[in-house]
Amino acid sequence: MTNMIFLDCYASSAKPKESQLFCLLRSKVKRKREFALKVFDEHYSEDLETIKDLTVWLSGSVEAYKLVDIRKLLAQTNAKVVTRKTKKTNLLVVGIKTKIEELPVDIKVISAITFQKILEELKEQIEHKKSDVNRDHETIELLLHKELEKVEE
């Protein structure tokens, strides 16, 4: 009952308690989970300059990505994903159905919403690099072809 009151009475300027948000993130009702994640993103996500070389603790799910895909993307930046906190962990991603009860004080925290945006940007950068490489290969092949034509004449 308390959770429903929270959803109905939420004022965006008020910072809700972590425990209440974590409870809602584990809710069986999808709408509650999505709303709680948005509120968490608004009030608890920290600014992140880069994901390069980080050890990312993924607690909960990131809607649009599977763990294997996240690992592949992060490998491009020399970052890695763990599913529990380790001594090397320096970033926590809080997602839907998280199992944590409170936020750690010694590492940066972002929401799965913010993390998904970072993954999208990373994916675009990788695709852009691939297209640049393909364009470079095509240019080299064209130049080689022209040189061969000159030699044959």
Side-chain angles (χ1 to χ4, degrees), residues 26 101 103 110 145:
R26 291 187 293 272
E101 298 293 329
L103 292 175
I110 62 173
H145 184 71

Side-chain angles (χ1 to χ4, degrees), residues 22 25-26 57-61 83 93-102:
F22 292 145
L25 284 167
R26 291 187 293 272
W57 171 21
L58 190 57
S59 177
S61 63
T83 53
V93 176
V94 175
I96 288 177
K97 296 185 180 177
T98 184
K99 300 236 187 317
I100 62 173
E101 298 293 329
E102 60 184 38

